[in-house]
Amino acid sequence: MDRIHQPHPQPTPTNEATLRALLTAMAAHLTTEEPAEPMTERARLDLVRDLTDSHEAAHADLLARTVHVAPGATRRQYAEILRTVADGLDLVHRYAAAVERGRDLAGEIGDRHDEHPAWVSNQRQVAELFTKARDAEHTVGALMAATAVETR
């Protein structure tokens, strides 16, 4: 009997929240393990491999998000670059979570919630994430849709 050739399933793209966590983990490792030492391309490749284990899609996606190492860069300097890249990921979800947190705070605090330090701090975060998301070319419509409240 002839076997039917079935192609290997294509790896699914790694979501931005996972990539953000992986980049943050890389940065943390680099700043705790010999941060003043030179960063090498070999160290970048090894860290990506170690963090993604045998997950092909995550490996490829993380490699694509990490930049090549500039000559003379320290591990600490490279970690800062990784944190900057991570900060630009998962913006729509992070914005929606901050908006939801603001709604929850307003409900918990009640009247005059807009004067409460926790709510004011959260609103600053909402504004910052909104600006970052718009700078990253997310539409206002996408941000509004992510924060829509289901009504029944």
Side-chain angles (χ1 to χ4, degrees), residues 28-106:
H29 175 80
L30 292 170
T31 54
T32 58
E33 300 288 327
E34 304 174 329
E37 292 298 310
M39 180 63 186
T40 65
E41 187 66 13
R42 170 62 31 216
R44 175 182 83 95
L45 297 173
D46 289 347
L47 270 172
V48 168
R49 184 198 63 231
D50 292 347
L51 285 171
T52 57
D53 207 20
S54 61
H55 302 284
E56 184 179 325
H59 182 85
D61 292 341
L62 187 57
L63 268 180
R65 296 294 180 145
T66 59
V67 295
H68 290 280
V69 179
T74 66
R75 293 166 64 93
R76 179 180 292 115
Q77 290 167 328
Y78 191 74
E80 287 307 312
I81 292 167
L82 295 179
R83 285 188 185 96
T84 300
V85 172
D87 191 47
L89 296 176
D90 200 27
L91 290 168
V92 173
H93 178 263
R94 290 167 48 210
Y95 171 77
V99 167
E100 183 65 27
R101 207 168 27 256
R103 288 181 187 139
D104 291 345
L105 282 169

Side-chain angles (χ1 to χ4, degrees), residues 1-7:
M1 181 185 281
D2 291 333
R3 287 182 26 177
I4 298 173
H5 175 71
Q6 295 185 359

Side-chain angles (χ1 to χ4, degrees), residues 100-114 119:
E100 183 65 27
R101 207 168 27 256
R103 288 181 187 139
D104 291 345
L105 282 169
E108 291 170 17
I109 297 166
D111 291 342
R112 302 178 69 117
H113 65 273
D114 56 339
W119 190 85

